[in-house]
Amino acid sequence: MEEFHWHRILEFVRAVAPFDALPQQDLERAVSAMEVAYFPRDTVIIEQGGPSSRFLYFLQSGSARVGLPGAGEGGGELLVDERGEGDTFGGLSLLQGGKAMFRVTAREDLICYLLPGEVFKALCAAHPSLERHYGASLARNLQAVREHVSCELPALAGLEGMSLSAAMMRSRVRELMSPKPVTCLPAMPVKAAARIMTQRQVGSIVVAQAGGHPLGILTDTDFRVRVMLRARSLDEPVAEFMSAPPHSISPDAYAFEALLAMSHHGVHHLVVVEDDRVVGVISDRDLQAITGGSPVGVVRAIDKVASVGELVRLHPSIDRVVELLLRMGGSAREMLALVTEFNDRVTTKLIALTEEDMEHSGAGRPPVPYGWMALGSEGRREQTLRTDQDNALIFANVPEASQERVKAWFLGFSERVVAGLERCGFPRCTGGVMASNPDWCQSEAGWQKTFLRWVSDPKPVTLRLGSIFFDFREIYAEADYLDTLRLRLKQAMEENRLFLRYMAANALYNRPPLGFLRQFVVEKGGEHANKLNLKLSGLTPIVDGARVMALELGIDTTNTLERLAAIEAQGLLKKELAADLVEAFSFITLLRISRHLEARAEGRTPDNFVDPESLNNFQRKMLKEAFKVVSELQSLLEQRYQTRLIT
Amino acid sequence: MSLVKAKLANLLLRRRVKSRDLHPNARANLEALEGLDLAAPLSACRFVVLDTETTGMDPETDRVVSVGAVRVVQGRVRLGEAFSELVNPGRDIPAMAVKVHGITPDKIASARHGAEVFEDFLSFLGRDILVAHYAKFDLHFINRVMRGRYGFSLQNLVLDTVLMCQAVVLASDPYGISRHQKACRLEALAQRFGIAAPERHTALGDALITAMVFQRMLARLEAVGGTRLKDLMRVAQLK
């Protein structure tokens, strides 16, 4: 080969993942094949639905937006991802061939290095890691689309190494759909439709004309939310309750297109239509099936286990499925809800099994009704992968005389549940916040008294406990103790406004790490030198702030995103700030989850630290924005609760 | 000189030298204007963007020490089609010049002489349109060798990015604030367009920046409707 001239350009390309892994010789060959192109702002570089890209584009300067025309709000373009200096685009479209999935537009004046398709494909053939990387970028884009149509926050938390894409890209709807759809005529009574769905064990029924023209679809969810709530009689026709017209897709569409359509319309079923006739139904479960994990299977398995030992043995596969689902992506809200769902199921099952164990061991049935409370992040439904236990127990009020005996039973019971949870991979709480602790295993009256005591006496320890306990949620309850407790807490809060001021001051303790020069302030020393703590500096301030305001306004939910929505609805948060906070919280959560998954994949113990250097420009920018929003929230808290008055 | 005039001059020249025994490169250069069409869209034109480093600014006594060039096709710079070579100037290199380009006498000790390098460059150039910043300066050195060796000057179309800059970039400066010689300097233009130097400041590195600046100005020209070769010639052709 001729003498190589472009050493700096080569270093630039080498700094772009995954090209860093390529040997010098291949990099030289790649750079020698490159062309430098300029695209003025707003130029459409790749058109969605147009021919696939002919180049892999390396962004030398400027930024580009990856979007889905017509999918955004009001038929505009849905922002899927944003690429900045040192990123690439076009790779997926190149590998995939066919029509381009997304539109790529120059957001600013762009200078790109263009690597011709043939050269790129040859490199992919020689280095499978390249192909994997670009496969994963599809997953990232899909994830961004799944986020939510109206949500402008692209999911950037780079989830590497996933296997979803290949299957999603190659499989067609025809191969995955249920080919013999269950259909009925619009006049069929809902009762009959329900019977058919149960008999055929399907989650949906397509309502079609006799000729096969689809009119609508009725799903399990429709039964729950429409039929159950609205039907005066179960003899009313299905046409009254179906979703019409149904969202449909061609059998020749790719699996990922189905996924896009589902996430775009927020539905779980699509009617597969060919020549205006129903030929099948495809559901999100059909799509999940090709990714290898069957969450449904694991949920069934949890429900079926007969002993604690079996449940413990099941925990690796639960972990695997949760991880897989997380890797498939989704919004922060969905991901958190998903982890919570699995953890709740495990806990509920463990409680039921332990009750049986107690009975078999001669301790007998629970002496009085009780409830199992989830606290902290579990209480807020914001767990990511496995986190420490935070739980408590509440039991019915009993006469003084039997108090000791009843409490002893529940303590023994709690210890067993806690030990079981530990064996299932939930470490014990180092602070002892567990139902097996006599302080946190109380009667209804006991809890009410405890909460009132804390609220009327704000000091560091009660504030800390409050921040854990006031996020309580029932995982299992035989009566409405928790509703009553919540009501009492609300009353206590109204009578003790000072507590809120202290709690607000506490919420200001963790400041977002934006230094004077708008540089990230990172840990100065120790194991996490030069890293940011995502949880403490990003999430905790939002969670704490939302809690204070929710307690003030008497908002029942404990989930931070729901709290923010409710606070906004009551006018305490401006719409824009609330939206920004939701976005900041979601972004940091996604980033945190992706870091956890990475750590797991590499066999490390997940922690909450992230090295800003390891983020790409856009992620860094987003993180800075997120921290700015947190700052804004804290200024609001300072003013509203006059936290300066306490020192 | 319009293309018609250039073609006419070229025709006369070809007649004049027809019977002469010419070097193949020279013979090829006589055909440099062939196939050029004023109505051709800019995206169909091929350019070679050149930059040279010299021993100084005096066209009479100074010589070339380094040549760098890249080809631009379809508006894109082809990194794989680059020309880069040091040239032995056959004279000393003043300390001032060493400071500018960092080419020290020992570096060019083993380099070929101007005439040989020139032959290679001429075959690299082919029939493409030559583009340079202050093209007159580079063209002067080229033509000195051309005339010396072949008896005629370079036949290719030559465009000057400084002229183009005055017409395309500075024309849009209503108050004339930037209408100053310095605004036309390559660094100033690169900065104006936000182009970060992708390579070191060698002849080749500067040829790449010139090409990128040229690329920008082509886009500007096209944005105001100048999409054909004649439009480009009107603003950039070396008079």
Side-chain angles (χ1 to χ4, degrees), chain A residues 2-3 5-10 31-40 54-55 60-61 109-111 113-114, chain B residues 70 73-84 194-200 204-205 208 212 215-216 219:
Chain A
E2 261 187 57
E3 194 199 341
H5 305 295
W6 309 108
H7 299 285
R8 291 209 180 161
I9 297 179
L10 183 137
V31 172
S32 297
M34 281 182 176
E35 299 181 13
V36 186
Y38 162 68
F39 302 101
R54 289 165 49 225
F55 301 98
Q60 192 242 18
S61 68
D109 286 350
L110 268 193
I111 298 175
Y113 298 129
L114 277 54
Chain B
V70 287
V73 183
Q74 288 185 303
R76 299 193 293 265
V77 190
R78 295 188 171 172
L79 296 182
E81 295 183 33
F83 185 93
S84 174
I195 298 170
E199 283 291 331
R200 290 188 308 126
L204 182 63
L208 177 58
M212 291 166 79
Q215 197 170 45
R216 283 298 170 102

Side-chain angles (χ1 to χ4, degrees), chain A residues 383-457:
Chain A
Q383 283 175 301
T384 57
L385 298 174
R386 289 299 159 92
T387 31
D388 287 7
Q389 295 186 36
D390 272 324
N391 47 49
L393 192 135
I394 182 168
F395 54 85
N397 290 332
V398 290
E400 192 66 43
S402 51
Q403 170 88 10
E404 208 168 311
R405 180 181 56 83
V406 169
K407 183 159 179 163
W409 191 95
F410 281 115
L411 276 175
F413 168 78
S414 297
E415 177 49 39
R416 285 186 183 215
V417 176
V418 165
L421 283 169
E422 191 182 10
R423 288 172 69 201
C424 284
F426 301 92
R428 280 173 191 260
C429 171
T430 47
V433 180
M434 291 176 296
S436 53
N437 182 333
D439 288 346
W440 315 134
C441 177
Q442 297 194 57
S443 68
E444 199 183 354
W447 276 114
Q448 289 173 6
K449 223 182 289 166
T450 304
F451 276 17
L452 185 63
R453 201 179 64 234
W454 291 350
V455 171
S456 55
D457 181 21

